[in-house]
């Protein structure tokens, strides 16, 4: 049993596994580059993909996963053995524990990647504009949009001004490419995917009255409740078309389709109705990335930073004494 323990915590095993992990990462990168169709649907840190799509071509990942487990076990026992020997030897100088602290940071890093790979998720695209939008646990709306472009028309910088409401508190923030809105200490990140003007409402002229209607809003047409159901935009139709649904007191329904333009007006139940205009507001399309491992990754930053500082202090101390 002691021989097994000595082998597991041996530096030789750590070196072999370290080179193996590096080699498998290189092989995996090449395979994914030359056979990308086998990895459609894979995104971010997700490793569930490899277990739900079991294929021989993924053998490199299964070996990598096993190697990382062995690597973590080796690092854990190496660090434990090193710290125990220092404690038993009566070593009280804190800088001498710098390397061990860095090893602990490495172990925590492996755990962070495991948690992120198993539980990281990305939501479908969500459209956010001037109205509060439920994002699942919090709400967000766009209050402004600043854009700049290169001479060829390509976007240069995008800054979306948003309001976020969570747990009864409301605050202002910005969103852009490589500038997500971060919540829950980094576990949630709202990522910008696209931007532009989104439809806010449509303008209808019913008789002599003007109606500015949002989706599913109701107005009265000759005593009948009429609802703005949908708006169809090109290329679905050649011109914008609005769909209305009129409901009588007998619960009978009638669908009304109006093409934009006053000259396309229709007479419904003795009243002339026309689809005049579309109102737009600044909006963004976003996805929500949930990665519960991010707060734990802050621990690794602290451990590596502390360990590095202690190692440097130890080296400087040696140079001064020498």
């Amino acid at each position: 049993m002691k021989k097994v323990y000595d082998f597991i915590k041996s530096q030789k095993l750590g070196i072999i596994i370290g080179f193996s992990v590096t080699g498998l990462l290189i092989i995996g990168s090449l395979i994914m580059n030359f056979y990308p169709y086998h990895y459609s649907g894979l995104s971010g840190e997700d490793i569930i993909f490899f277990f739900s799509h079991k294929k021989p071509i993924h053998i490199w990942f299964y070996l990598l996963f096993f190697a990382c487990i062995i690597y973590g076990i080796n690092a854990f026992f190496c660090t434990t053995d090193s710290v125990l020997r220092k404690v038993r030897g009566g070593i009280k100088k804190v800088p001498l524990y710098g390397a061990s602290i860095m090893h602990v940071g490495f172990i925590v890093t492996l755990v962070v990647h495991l948690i992120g790979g198993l539980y990281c998720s990305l939501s479908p695209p969500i459209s956010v504009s001037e109205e509060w939008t439920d994002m699942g646990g919090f709400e967000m709306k766009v209050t402004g949009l600043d854009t700049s472009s290169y001479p060829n028309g390509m976007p240069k910088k995008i800054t979306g001004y948003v309001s976020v409401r969570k747990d009864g508190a409301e605050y202002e923030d910005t969103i852009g490419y490589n500038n997500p809105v971060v919540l829950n200490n980094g576990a949630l990140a709202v990522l910008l995917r696209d931007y532009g003007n989104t439809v806010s409402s449509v303008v209808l002229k019913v008789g002599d009255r003007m109606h500015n209607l949002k989706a599913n809003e109701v107005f009265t047409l000759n005593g009948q409740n009429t609802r703005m159901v949908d708006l169809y935009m090109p290329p679905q139709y050649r011109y914008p078309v609005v769909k209305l649904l009129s409901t009588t007191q007998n619960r009978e329904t009638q669908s009304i389709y109006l093409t934009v333009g006053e000259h396309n007006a229709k007479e419904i139940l003795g009243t002339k109705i026309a689809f005049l205009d579309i109102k737009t507001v600044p909006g963004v399309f976003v996805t929500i990335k949930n990665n519960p491992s991010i707060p734990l990754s802050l621990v690794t930053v602290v451990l590596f930073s502390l360990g590095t500082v202690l190692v440097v202090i130890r080296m400087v101390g040696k140079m001064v004494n020498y």
Side-chain angles (χ1 to χ4, degrees):
M1 192 68 182
K2 187 177 183 302
K3 289 183 179 180
V4 174
Y5 175 74
D6 290 339
F7 174 73
I8 290 175
K9 71 179 182 65
S10 66
Q11 188 178 32
K12 183 184 294 185
L13 177 63
I15 294 172
I16 293 172
I17 294 296
F19 278 109
S20 299
V21 167
T22 303
L24 288 168
L25 286 171
I26 294 172
I27 293 171
S29 297
L30 292 173
I31 291 175
M32 294 175 73
N33 182 61
F34 286 106
Y35 303 98
Y37 51 89
H38 285 292
Y39 299 93
S40 59
L42 175 64
S43 63
E45 300 86 355
D46 179 30
I47 63 173
I48 298 296
F49 172 87
F50 294 97
F51 297 106
S52 57
H53 299 79
K54 300 181 182 68
K55 297 179 181 179
I57 198 170
H58 299 332
I59 187 68
W60 66 269
F61 174 80
Y62 305 129
L63 293 173
L64 176 65
F65 188 78
F66 177 74
C68 286
I69 293 175
I70 301 301
Y71 208 1
I73 294 172
N74 173 259
F76 173 78
F77 283 112
C78 279
T79 304
T80 302
D81 184 71
S82 175
V83 172
L84 288 176
R85 283 191 285 107
K86 286 185 176 70
V87 172
R88 289 169 182 167
I91 297 176
K92 297 182 180 180
K93 293 183 178 180
V94 177
L96 294 177
Y97 291 88
S100 298
I101 293 174
M102 294 178 70
H103 289 162
V104 173
F106 171 72
I107 296 170
V108 176
T109 300
L110 291 176
V111 175
V112 166
H113 282 294
L114 178 62
I115 295 174
L118 292 175
Y119 300 105
C120 182
S121 62
L122 199 65
S123 75
I126 303 171
S127 175
V128 183
S129 58
E130 62 177 358
E131 300 289 338
W132 285 108
T133 302
D134 186 6
M135 311 287 280
F138 66 99
E139 294 177 294
M140 192 169 79
K141 69 176 180 179
V142 176
T143 57
L145 192 64
D146 283 345
T147 64
S148 59
S149 303
Y150 291 103
N152 62 0
M154 291 293 290
K156 182 178 181 180
K157 185 177 181 181
I158 313 301
T159 302
Y161 299 93
V162 299
S163 293
V164 180
R165 190 159 62 189
K166 185 177 185 296
D167 299 329
E170 183 177 331
Y171 62 93
E172 305 297 318
D173 206 339
T174 60
I175 188 171
Y177 296 119
N178 299 318
N179 177 33
V181 174
V182 179
L183 301 98
N184 295 352
N185 298 317
L188 284 178
V190 183
L191 310 175
L192 177 66
R193 293 193 56 165
D194 204 353
Y195 68 97
N197 289 326
T198 61
V199 175
S200 171
S201 61
V202 298
V203 179
L204 300 183
K205 183 179 181 182
V206 182
D208 295 327
R209 298 183 61 185
M210 305 295 291
H211 293 272
N212 197 349
L213 301 170
K214 299 181 183 295
N216 293 315
E217 280 195 339
V218 176
F219 65 100
T220 302
L221 177 62
N222 291 329
Q224 296 184 7
N225 287 332
T226 304
R227 181 162 54 94
M228 200 286 277
V229 178
D230 209 343
L231 174 68
Y232 304 103
M233 300 289 287
Q236 193 171 9
Y237 286 86
R238 187 174 180 182
Y239 302 103
V241 175
V242 67
K243 178 183 178 181
L244 307 176
L245 194 65
S246 183
T247 305
T248 66
Q249 293 180 351
N250 298 327
R251 296 184 177 271
E252 295 179 355
T253 59
Q254 177 185 7
S255 296
I256 305 166
Y257 293 89
L258 295 173
T259 304
V260 68
E262 191 164 6
H263 59 282
N264 293 316
K266 290 183 179 180
E267 188 170 316
I268 310 294
L269 298 175
T271 301
K272 191 175 181 181
I273 180 170
F275 173 22
L276 298 185
D277 197 7
I278 298 172
K279 299 292 186 181
T280 61
V281 293
V284 294
F285 285 93
V286 300
T287 54
I288 303 174
K289 184 176 182 180
N290 181 19
N291 189 345
S293 69
I294 294 299
L296 186 59
S297 66
L298 300 177
V299 177
T300 67
V301 174
V302 173
L303 291 173
F304 276 115
S305 300
L306 179 59
T308 302
V309 170
L310 293 177
V311 169
V312 170
I313 291 175
R314 180 186 177 189
M315 293 174 63
V316 172
K318 279 186 175 182
M319 293 173 61
V320 170
N321 292 333
Y322 181 76

